[in-house]
């Protein structure tokens, strides 16, 4: 069976290791207008996500998504489907916390999870191990790990868009040149 | 004359100050596969930009775009149009440099430019001062400064997309959930 396109654990870890510091550099100490504003309501009346919500969502992923699913694949294979992921859990989980607390928590959990991942001592022959996603069906271990890294990037992508939204009018005619202001998001969220 | 929507110099500076450290956290020491790959060729046969190209472009902006244009507005108003910006200058300017050198250079130039900006001691009544963009026509000082900040965000948006592109196949069926993989860019670039 072919190894999926160019997946490399070391390369994925290079991304995953850097995300907490990158979010910290962008967000810590930033005025609340940049941190708490969102892009308004969706068509079905839900609030879109602020920077604060995005960090909370990444924390929930560290707790309930990536490493728990990697362990299910290794221990149970397709026999046990993953637990569904709660995309709205951060509303409750982040309540009463400051952004600084969330940034610290995300950095700590990511660091612990990467230590656990490395202790699993996975090898290229493990990449094709299969698991069962509750909606997507059969997926492989390398797809899960690549998705973990790209999920970080998709939320950096979203974060820059959410922040830019605040100045969509302030830039005047330059909006035509600023791609981020013409991004409406591409999936939820 | 109304002050443009909610522009605040302190808020713009809060973004502008953080971008060099954010790019540093994402990119320094990252394997070359993430730094040098781009999204392939455009329809007209030009290479799209890699992370390396993006940092080079931000450097050219620090040298020739933002502060020079702010000074033209304050000193000449609409009488002297801005010099056109060269969107491809980084190909030559970055030649022979390492990513580490570019990150250091961007951080130094940004820091110098923000010091110059603060020494101009601009006040809210200056926001409506007018300049002339060679393509967009009349623009204001606050629009220029808001655009400087959103320009940072648009290139963070682009950077996350360029990097994610590498794993567009490796994520398998999860691509449906990963907005960044469904972003084709919204303007050049």
């Amino acid at each position: 069976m072919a190894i999926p396109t160019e997946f490399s654990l070391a390369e994925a870890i290079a991304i995953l290791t850097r995300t907490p510091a990158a979010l910290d550099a962008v967000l810590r100490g930033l005025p609340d207008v940049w941190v708490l504003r969102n892009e308004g309501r969706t068509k079905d009346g839900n609030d879109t996500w602020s920077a604060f919500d995005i960090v909370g969502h990444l924390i929930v992923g560290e707790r309930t998504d990536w490493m728990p699913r990697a362990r299910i694949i290794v221990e149970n294979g397709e026999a046990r489907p993953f637990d569904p992921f709660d995309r709205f859990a951060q509303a409750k989980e982040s309540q009463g916390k400051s952004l600084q607390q969330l940034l610290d928590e995300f950095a700590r959990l990511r660091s612990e999870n990467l230590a656990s991942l490395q202790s699993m001592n996975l090898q290229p022959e493990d990449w094709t191990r299969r698991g069962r996603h509750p909606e997507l069906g059969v997926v492989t271990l390398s797809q899960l790990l690549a998705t973990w890294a790209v999920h970080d990037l998709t939320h950096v992508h979203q974060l820059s868009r959410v922040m830019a939204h605040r100045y969509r009018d302030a830039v005047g005619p330059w909006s035509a040149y600023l791609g981020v202001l013409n991004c409406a998001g591409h999936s939820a969220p």
Side-chain angles (χ1 to χ4, degrees), chain A:
Chain A
M1 193 169 176
I3 293 169
T5 318
E6 298 194 88
F7 175 76
S8 145
L9 185 61
E11 287 174 17
I13 288 175
I15 300 288
L16 290 165
T17 304
R18 283 166 171 77
T19 306
L23 292 180
D24 207 280
V26 174
L27 294 173
R28 192 175 294 261
L30 200 63
D32 277 354
V33 290
W34 294 115
V35 171
L36 300 179
R37 295 279 182 96
N38 62 24
E39 297 172 284
R41 298 213 159 189
T42 62
K43 281 181 198 161
D44 50 6
N46 292 316
D47 279 333
T48 55
W49 291 7
S50 65
F52 185 84
D53 297 326
I54 291 168
V55 181
H57 166 76
L58 290 168
I59 287 172
V60 177
E62 294 303 304
R63 289 196 192 285
T64 70
D65 190 333
W66 311 108
M67 284 305 294
R69 289 180 171 187
R71 288 191 195 98
I72 289 172
I73 290 178
V74 171
E75 292 166 15
N76 307 98
E78 293 174 66
R80 181 188 155 188
F82 306 147
D83 299 324
F85 179 74
D86 182 353
R87 285 188 48 249
F88 299 98
Q90 66 276 6
K92 193 174 157 196
E93 301 278 333
S94 302
Q95 216 164 25
K97 294 180 183 165
S98 69
L99 177 70
Q100 283 65 26
Q101 286 173 305
L102 295 188
L103 289 167
D104 289 341
E105 193 175 351
F106 176 52
R108 182 177 55 78
L109 290 169
R110 173 59 59 88
S111 170
E112 290 171 5
N113 279 331
L114 291 180
S116 297
L117 175 64
Q118 290 188 299
S119 74
M120 288 172 81
N121 193 27
L122 297 169
Q123 302 299 323
E125 56 266 29
D126 294 312
W127 299 157
T128 52
R129 284 178 179 245
R130 293 150 67 104
R132 185 169 296 278
H133 186 283
E135 292 174 7
L136 299 172
V138 172
V139 292
T140 68
L141 183 57
S142 73
Q143 288 169 350
L144 175 74
L145 298 172
T147 298
W148 190 4
V150 176
H151 181 265
D152 278 9
L153 296 171
T154 214
H155 286 291
V156 170
H157 189 80
Q158 178 191 27
L159 176 68
S160 61
R161 189 187 74 227
V162 171
M163 290 172 64
H165 182 77
R166 175 166 165 72
Y167 271 2
R168 69 198 179 285
D169 297 325
V171 300
W174 266 291
S175 60
Y177 292 176
L178 294 164
V180 70
L181 295 178
N182 299 304
C183 178
H186 311 281
S187 66

